[in-house]
Amino acid sequence: ARALTPQTAETDAIRFLVGTQSLRYDNQIHIIDFDDENNIINKNVLLHQVGEIWHISTSPADKGVLATCYNKTSDTKVMTCAAVWRMPKELESGSHESPDDSSSNTQTLELLCHLDNTAHGNMACVMWEPMGDGKKIISLADNNILLWDLQESSAKAVLSSSAALEGKGQLKFTSGRWSPHHNCTQIATANDTNVRGWDTRSMRQIYCIENAHGQLVRDLDFNPNKQYYLASCGDDCKVKFWDTRNVTEPVKTLEEHSHWVWNVRYNHSHDQLILTGSSDSRVILSNMVSISSEPFGHMVDDDELSDQEDQHQEEKIKEPLQDSVIATYEEHEDSVYAVEWSSADPWLFASLSYDGRLVINRVPRALKYHILL
Amino acid sequence: MAAVTAGSGAGSGSAGSPEAAGGTTGGSGWRRPHGPLQRYYGPSTAEAAEAAPDPTDINGPHFDPEAFMTKVRSECPLGQLLAREAALGREIRALDSDMQTLLYENYNKFISATDTIRKMKVDFRHMEAEMDDLAANMAAISASSARVSAALQDRHRRGAQLAGVQALLRKLQALVEVPGRLRCWAGTEPARALRCHARARAVLRHYRHLPSFRAIEDESHAIMADLAQRLRTRLRCETLDPKELTECVEMLLQLEEPAEELSEEFLSQAGARLEAELAALEAELPAADPSGTATTPPPPASDILDFVDRGSSAFVGTLCQLAGSYRTLFGEDTGRLEPFASALATRYFALLERRLALERGLGDTSLLVRALDRFHRRLRSLLELLPAGADAAAALMARAARERVDRYLRALQTFFLGCLGDVRQALAAPRPPGKEGPGLPDLLATLAASVLGQLKAVLAYVQLFTARDVAFASLPYFKGEFCVTAVREGLVVAFVRWLCHTARGFADGPAERGAPAAPPALLLLLARLCLDYENSTISYILTLTDEQFPPQDSGPAVTPGPALCAEARAAAQRLLDHYVQVQGAAVAQMLRKSVETRDWLGTVEPRNVRAVMKRVVEDITAIDVQVGQLFEEGVRRAQSSDSSRRAFSVYSSSRAPGRYAPSYTPSAPMDTHLLSNIQKLFSERIDIFSPVEFNKVSVLTGIIKISLKTLLECVRLRTLGRFGLQQVQVDGHYLQLYLWRFASDERVVQGLLDEVAASAAHRCLDPVPMEHSVVELICERG
C-alpha cells in the first residue's frame, strides 16, 4: 500500500485514509480512526473496485469527498486515472463500530466524477486547493498540469486550464504540492531531478530548482508557516530545504536516511517538525529549529494547557533546541512510502509501508512541552 | 791462590762445613787486596752494616785475637790448625810485601809535597811587606780628596739656584706665549689648542690676582670662546661623520660647555644623520601603498641580503657608534638616549618589515635566512644599548619566518593541486586503443611520492631557520615556539589537515549542483591516499618533523598524531563511501531506466537475459578490477555450500500462494504479509547506503546493494505481465550467478534478489513463474 492521507477537513477526530494496492483483488480504502484517549484504532473499509490506488487526497472543505489516482489495467496496458469520490454519509465523521463487525458491512464509494485524462497521460497525483472550498483541484498527468473546476457539488469536473512541461526526453511529473501561501496561487512540482514552481493563474513556470537532488526527486512540501520555504526529498537519500527565492543553494540538507526518501512532511502548526519516510524502512522525525518560523526561545501560547501546567513548566530553564533528529522509528519491516501528520492532532502522525503496515506515532512528550512552553 | 787453598782444603779429606765457610771468607779477602786499607780509611756504610760483629773474623774490625785463638783451638783438629798456621804465615808475608810496594810507589809524591810547602813559606813573608805599603798610599789619597770637595761646595750651590730661576722664567715665557699659540692652533688643530689651554688654565686661575696673568687669562678665554663658537658651528654642519662629531662634542665638553645642551645637540645631529640613512634605505623600497591593495609592486632592485647588509652596516653601525660615544661622553645616564634610539630602531624595523613583505614568492630561503641572521648579529651590539628593541627585533624575525612558512604551506597546497590535476588528466586522457594507460597504483605512488618529496624539501628549507650556524636560531622563539607552532602545527599539521579537507571536498561539495564531478577513479585514489596517510605517512611525517624540529617540553600543546590519523581516516571513509555512492548510482541509474522504459505488460516470453543486465555485470566487473588495484581483497563471509538450492526458492509453488496470493479478508489484511514479515524478523536489516570498509569486497558489496535495492524499488512501481515476471526472474538469476562472488556476503545478494522476485511476483497480473531449469538454461546461454 502506498496511498495515505489525513482527512483534511476533519479537525476533531484523528482519522487517516489508506488506499490499498492489489492487482488481483478488489482494492479498498480503509478509514482509520484513532481514539487518542483510549488508544484504540477503529477501521472502516470502503470498496474501491476500479483499480489499485496510487495516490489519495481529501477535500479540505468536505469531509466526505476524496480523490484517488488509480491504475486501470487491461491485458496490455496500464493507465492511471483519477476520480473524485464521496464516501457514505455515516462514515464521514467516523463510526464507532467495533473492528469485528467491519468485515460484514463493506460499503462502496460513490463516484462523483472522473478527471478525464485520455489526452494527457497517466495521473501522478491530485492536489486540492489547500484553503479553498473544495472546488479547485490540480492533477499532474505525465508532463501536464491540469487545473479542474468542480461544479455542481463536485459532480462535474471541468478542465479550466492546463500547462505542459516541454523539453527533450520523456518528462514526467513525480509529485507536486500546492502552496498555502500567496493566496494559493502557487504550486510546486517535481520531475526527475528538478523542482519547479508554477503560478496557477497564468499557468507559467515561476522558478526552477535545477538539479535539486542528485537523483530523482520523490516528494515536496511547503512550509505552512513560512513563505518561500520548501522541503524536498529524493533518491540521493537527502532531504533539502529551499528558499525559493534563491534556487542555487539549499538552505539546509539532511542526510539521515540510508536509502531513497519517499516522503517529506512539515507539521501543520509547528513547522520545525519534519517527518520523512524512506525505503530503508525508517521514519525519521527531525527538529529543524534553525529554519522554522519560530524564533529561538519564542513561546507559542497554547490555550489547551491549563494554567497550572503552564506555571509548572515555566519554571524550567529553557535552552534553544538545536537542529537534530528527534527520533527514528523502525517499526516498519519494509519500505515506507507515505508519512502524514494528522490534521486534528498536531502531535500525531501515521506512516505506511509497502507491506501494508500503518503505524501511528506521537511526538515525544518532552519535546512537545519544550515546543509549547 | 785461593783456588789452591780451597783445593788443598778439599784434598785434606775431612773437610766440614765450617772449613768451607772460612775458605769463602778468606777468598773474598784475597780477591780485593785493598779492601782492608779502604776499610781503615773510612769504611762505607754499606760495608759497616755488612760487617756483623764477628770477633772471629780475622779481617773484621772487631777482630779479637783471644777469641779467635780460643775458637780455633777448641774447634779445629790438629791438621787443620797446622794448615791454618801455615796459611796465616803466608798471608802475613804477603801483606808485608804489599806495604812495601805501596811505600815505594808514593815516596816521590811525599818528597815533592814537602818541597812545595817549603817554597810557600818563603813567598808569604814577601807579600806582607807590600800590603803595608798599599795601606799608607790609600790614606794619602783620601785626605787630598776631602780637601778638593770642601773647596767646590759653594760654587755648586750657586749653580743650582741659577737653574731654578731659569726654569721659572721658561714657564712664564710659555704662559705669555699661550694666547698666541692658542690663536694659531685654534684654526687648524683645535685638539692641540685645547690641551694647551687645559695645561695653562690651572696656573692662570691660581695667579689671576696678578694683573699681567689676568690679561693672559682673559685673552686665552676669549680665544677659547671663539673656538667653542667655531666648534658649535661645525657641530651643526651636516657633513660630519660620527667620529668627527664625537670629537667635536668631546672638545666642547672639555671647554665646559653645558652637557645638557650638548647632548641635545648631539642627538639631533645624530638623528639627522640616521634619518638620512633611513631615507636612503627607504628610497630602495617601492612607494608604500597606502591602500594596500593596488597592483603588485615591481620586484625590488636589490635582493634582501643586500638590503639588510646595507641597512645594518650603515644604519645599525652608525647608531651603535653614536650610542657608544654618547655613553662615553655623557656618562651612563641614558634617559635621553633610549627613547631616541628606540624611536629610530622602530622605524628601521618598520622599513625592514616592509622590505621583508616584498619577499613574495619562495625565492631563496637560505638568502632570507642569511639576511635575517646578519640582521640579528648586527643588532646584538645595538641591543646591548637598547634592551627594549630586542623584543621588537625578535618579533620581526619571528614574523618573517612565520610568513615564509605560510608561503611554503601555500606552495605545498598549490603543488598538491597541481599533482591532482595531473592525475585527473592522466585518468581522463583518452587511451589509445590497445595501450593501457598508467595504472592506478602507479598514479597513486607517483602522487604520494611527489607530495612527500615536496614536503620533505620544504622541511629542509624551513630547517635553515633553525640551523646551528644561524645566530638567531638560539632565540627562545626559534627554539621552541617556531618549531612547534609554526613548523609542526602551521606547516605540517596544517598541510595534512588541508589535504584531508581537500580530499573530502571531492566527496562533499561537488557535482551536486552541476560542477564537474570528480571521476570515480580519482575518488578511489584519494581514498587510498588518505588511508595510507592514516596508516603510515602521518606518523612518518610527524616523526620526521619532531626529529628536525625537536619540540620543547614546555612548548604549546601539539596536535597529536592520532587525531590527524583519525581525520585522515574520516576523509578516506567519506571518499570511499562517496565512491560507492557514485558508482552505485551509475549502475542504479542504468537499472532504473531499463525498468521504467520497458513495457512489462506487453513483453514477450523471455529468450535472453536483457542486455542491460549484462552491462551491469560488466560494469561491476570493471569496478572490481579498479578497486582491486588499490584495495585489499577483504574478508568474505563463508559461503554456503550449495547456493543453487536456495536460489529462487520463493518461486516454489508450495509457498507462492501462501505468500503472494493472500485471501483478502478485510478482517485481517495484515496477515497477508505475516510470513514475509516473520522471515524478515530473522534476517538482518540491510542498510543500503551504509559506510563501507576499506577493502574491495566491502566496496563492491556496497555498490551491489545500491544497485539491487534500486531494482527492487523500480520493480515495485511497475505492473508486470506474466512474461514480464519471467523476464525479471531470468534477470535476477543471471545477476545472482555473476554477482555473488563480488559480495562479502552472498546472502545479501540473495536476500535482495529474493525480494526483487517477490515484489515482481506481487506486481504481476498473472504470476506464473518460469521453470527453474529453463531460467538456468537461458542464463547459461546468455
Side-chain angles (χ1 to χ4, degrees), chain B residues 181-196 227 230 251:
Chain B
R181 270 196 220 162
L182 284 179
R183 204 168 290 131
C184 103
W185 284 336
T188 53
E189 292 174 276
R192 214 165 150 196
L194 269 176
R195 272 201 301 282
C196 172
L227 177 61
R230 234 176 310 160
M251 287 186 284

Side-chain angles (χ1 to χ4, degrees), chain A residues 2 23-24 52 78 210-211 237-238 240 247-248 258-259 279-282 334-335 337 354-356, chain B residues 512-513 585 601 660 670 673 677 680-681 685 687-689 709-710 713 716-717 719 761-764:
Chain A
R2 290 170 187 270
L23 287 166
R24 296 183 285 277
E52 53 174 6
V78 177
E210 300 268 2
N211 285 322
C237 312
K238 291 173 186 163
K240 293 189 181 181
V247 297
T248 50
S258 67
H259 201 242
S279 42
D280 62 1
S281 319
R282 294 191 181 97
D334 209 326
S335 306
Y337 290 131
Y354 181 71
D355 52 14
Chain B
E512 195 103 338
R513 310 281 303 154
L601 266 182
Y660 300 110
M670 285 302 193
H673 296 292
N677 284 347
K680 274 180 190 168
L681 278 180
R685 187 186 279 267
D687 278 342
I688 306 303
F689 288 99
K709 180 76 177 177
T710 305
E713 293 295 339
R716 281 183 181 180
L717 287 172
T719 307
H762 188 215
R763 296 297 309 156
C764 183

Side-chain angles (χ1 to χ4, degrees), chain A residues 235-255:
Chain A
D235 284 3
D236 56 0
C237 312
K238 291 173 186 163
V239 179
K240 293 189 181 181
F241 299 91
W242 304 89
D243 184 334
T244 57
R245 292 163 296 186
N246 174 19
V247 297
T248 50
E249 281 296 319
V251 181
K252 195 102 186 170
T253 302
L254 278 183
E255 265 181 282

Side-chain angles (χ1 to χ4, degrees), chain B residues 620-643:
Chain B
I620 289 180
T621 313
I623 292 168
D624 179 64
V625 170
Q626 195 177 49
V627 177
Q629 285 179 333
L630 290 178
F631 285 91
E632 297 77 25
E633 178 71 26
V635 191
R636 213 181 277 273
R637 207 173 286 182
Q639 290 153 18
S640 63
S641 51
D642 60 339
S643 51

